[in-house]
Structures are given as structure tokens and as C-alpha cells.
Amino acid sequence: MSEYMPPSGEIPVLHEDSDLLIVDKPAGLLSVPGKGPELADCLLTRLESAFPTARLIHRLDRDTSGVMVFALTAHAQKHLNLQFEQRKTKKTYVARVKGRLEPKTGDVDLPLIVDWPNRPRQMVCHETGKAALTGYRVLKASDEESRVRLFPHSGRTHQLRVHMLSLGHPILGDELYNPETASQYPRMMLHAEELRVNHPENGKGMTFRANAPF
């Protein structure tokens, strides 16, 4: 992985109430601290300075941008954790991938596991992998690249990145799974565009969105 150079600037807040904090994470910023003082700067730490009770619910990879939800109370944290565990949330991503992806819609149903000798890489393993399912829809395509909307139905580490790679259409700018394109793009072309959750207090469905910056 390249040297950690987190972006500066304010974190865009999409929504805030007594229970929830929704933000648009910039690409290049860790969700939580890494090992060592050089990896201390992260989204959670930055948010805690303004929202001291912010509690982590889920993560996005360092080089993925987009919508993340944090809880502001213990009750909200428990409620949201259950929603993620029981797959009651709905997540939508946008990505730019290599080549013309066909057919235009489909599902990738391939089990994933950590590739131990090559951590943090993950890989498909039909013997010991954990079930992982991703739906996709092509938005536009050329012979060089396709713009796709991705719908993860599970939350495995690097799921979208490995599933696209398994189709032969890796995400552009991905240092880990498509390193030959990393220098050609300013970032990995993967963005968490939309997240739907139920509010911890009243159960009302709420959708939060941040348009892709690419």
C-alpha cells in the first residue's frame, strides 16, 4: 500500500440528530485508527472532536469514499448494529471498472476469505470462504471502462473489489487488486453512494445519499 497521506479539510455532515450522525467520508482517510502513530488520523477521531459520543457502526476501506453512519447514543449503536447484522440496511455503491461489463445486470455469488500470505488481500474460496453476494447494474459502458452501480447483500471485507475482479473487471485505481491502473487515477473509483437505515427511535426508514465525486 502507498504511504498514508490522509486528506485535509472538513468532513461533510449529511445529517445529524440526537441519535444519528451521517457523513460523507473522503477517499484516502481511514475509518478507524491503524496500527502505529502514523495511522492515528482517521474519520472516527476527527468526528469525536466535534461529536464526543460518536460510536462506530461500520467501516469503509481507506480508499473508498461515501456515506457512513455513526451512532450518538448507546441505544442507537445497539439498534444500528442489529440492522447491519441482520442485513436490514440497504447499501448502494458506484464504481468505474475496467472494460465493458456484460451482461448489463447480474449477481456475483462467490464466498470470500482472507488471503493469509498476502494480507490484507481477500480471495474467493469455495471450501472455507464466507458467503458473499453482490448485485450489479451497468450504467454506461465503453470498451475501456464501465460505470456500474453495486448492491452488496453481505458485508465481507473488500467484497465489491474482489467480486469485480472475479468477473475480470477490477475497479480502476485500486492499488491492491488492480495496481497497474493506480498511477492513472487520483484515487480508487469506488464510492458508497446511498445508505438506507431505520431510525433507532421511531423505526422510520431513512435514506442518505452523497453523489460520487468521479
Side-chain angles (χ1 to χ4, degrees), residues 1-2 98 121 161 165 170-185 187-188:
M1 296 288 282
S2 61
K98 181 180 178 182
R121 283 180 65 100
R161 299 161 72 178
L165 176 67
I171 294 171
L172 297 171
D174 186 341
E175 287 185 359
L176 202 55
Y177 299 101
N178 194 9
E180 60 272 21
T181 66
S183 64
Q184 302 166 29
Y185 295 86
R187 52 161 294 179
M188 180 169 68

Side-chain angles (χ1 to χ4, degrees), residues 4-9 26-29 41 46:
Y4 184 43
M5 299 177 64
S8 58
L29 182 64
D41 185 11
R46 291 190 190 184

Side-chain angles (χ1 to χ4, degrees), residues 6 12 24-25 37 40 67 69 71 75 95 113 115-117 120 128 142 159 174 181 212:
D24 182 3
K25 185 186 92 66
V67 182
V69 58
H75 168 74
I113 194 171
D115 183 359
W116 280 105
T128 56
S142 68
Q159 176 176 319
D174 186 341
T181 66

Side-chain angles (χ1 to χ4, degrees), residues 123-176:
M123 64 181 186
V124 174
C125 181
H126 292 280
E127 284 73 42
T128 56
K130 294 182 178 179
L133 176 63
T134 302
Y136 74 84
R137 184 170 74 245
V138 176
L139 301 176
K140 61 179 181 179
S142 68
D143 290 341
E144 288 71 40
E145 70 170 79
S146 300
R147 186 179 186 89
V148 296
R149 190 159 277 141
L150 302 171
F151 310 97
H153 299 288
S154 47
R156 306 300 176 199
T157 300
H158 297 179
Q159 176 176 319
L160 303 179
R161 299 161 72 178
V162 179
H163 275 176
M164 289 298 99
L165 176 67
S166 72
L167 293 179
H169 299 277
I171 294 171
L172 297 171
D174 186 341
E175 287 185 359
L176 202 55

Side-chain angles (χ1 to χ4, degrees), residues 17 21 42 48 71 89 108 144 148 165 168 196 202 204 207:
D17 61 35
L21 175 65
C42 67
E48 284 174 337
T89 61
V108 186
E144 288 71 40
V148 296
L165 176 67
R196 181 178 175 82
N202 56 29
K204 180 183 176 184
T207 300

Side-chain angles (χ1 to χ4, degrees), residues 12-23:
V13 174
L14 305 175
H15 174 85
E16 175 201 350
D17 61 35
S18 58
D19 296 282
L20 301 179
L21 175 65
I22 318 293
V23 301

